[in-house]
Amino acid sequence: IGGLNAQPMPGQWSFKVGPCQGIELGDHLSMARFMLNRVGEYFGCVVSFDPKPIPGDWNGAGCHTAFSTKPMRAPGGYNMIRQCMVKLERRHLEHINAYGEGNERRLTGMHETAHIDTFSWGVGNTLAHIRVPRTTEMQGFGYLEDRRPASNMDPYIVTSMLFKTCCLD
């Protein structure tokens, strides 16, 4: 676990896992979720990975996923990241359908999300489905952040789909 932050919804916290290589992310996130549930159980707290556990005018719960390959992190890698955007847009619905149950309650176009039906990406844009950090654009290499996965996503499916779409298509 690489950090944690308080979130806008009452009682909501987020934590970070990684960096990890490949499907190792799934192992780390699964173990982190297990430990979080055990600690919650010990202290009498309820843990939910629902993308919108409490209806209301606040953010839901996502599982933003940073993704890169060695060529993306090398000089000139930003061009590869831009090519990924075309591929990710082409398979947007396929990704959405696999990125967690109930995600339509979170990806409404409000509360720092893009609308579930329309693909979007942008540099430094936290309102887009895919955010590319400003430093990535400025340096010409780096990573992308897929902000579409819900907090209850299956990390093995998400990492597999990102790899297949960005690297094998």
Side-chain angles (χ1 to χ4, degrees):
I1 296 180
L4 61 120
N5 296 303
Q7 297 295 322
M9 188 176 65
Q12 181 185 22
W13 287 79
S14 67
F15 63 92
K16 295 173 178 49
V17 175
C20 302
Q21 186 172 8
I23 63 169
E24 185 181 61
L25 168 69
D27 300 340
H28 286 243
L29 183 56
S30 296
M31 185 54 71
R33 285 173 171 172
F34 170 77
M35 291 188 307
L36 181 61
N37 275 306
R38 294 292 295 170
V39 170
E41 185 178 292
Y42 180 82
F43 287 102
C45 297
V46 175
V47 174
S48 174
F49 297 108
D50 188 285
K52 192 80 172 190
I54 302 171
D57 189 21
W58 44 59
N59 299 29
C63 191
H64 301 172
T65 305
F67 176 79
S68 69
T69 61
K70 193 171 183 178
M72 288 179 189
R73 296 186 304 271
Y78 183 66
N79 290 330
M80 184 176 205
I81 291 170
R82 288 182 59 89
Q83 291 169 13
C84 288
M85 296 306 140
V86 174
K87 297 174 182 183
L88 288 165
E89 181 173 17
R90 192 169 53 233
R91 294 193 157 201
H92 176 66
L93 186 58
E94 183 182 340
H95 281 248
I96 287 293
N97 289 335
Y99 275 12
E101 188 176 328
N103 213 10
E104 71 283 350
R105 291 181 282 122
R106 180 180 75 91
L107 297 178
T108 61
M110 297 169 41
H111 310 297
E112 299 179 45
T113 68
H115 195 275
I116 195 167
D117 294 329
T118 309
F119 179 82
S120 63
W121 76 276
V123 175
N125 186 351
T126 59
L127 303 177
H129 286 300
I130 310 287
R131 181 185 71 87
V132 176
R134 291 192 189 286
T135 54
T136 296
E137 181 188 46
M138 289 169 41
Q139 295 172 343
F141 59 89
Y143 68 97
L144 61 88
E145 177 190 48
D146 192 341
R147 300 170 63 84
R148 298 173 296 177
S151 52
N152 62 3
M153 61 80 133
D154 181 324
Y156 300 101
I157 290 174
V158 171
T159 54
S160 171
M161 291 186 76
L162 283 168
F163 178 76
K164 285 179 185 175
T165 300
C166 292
C167 300
L168 301 180
D169 273 0

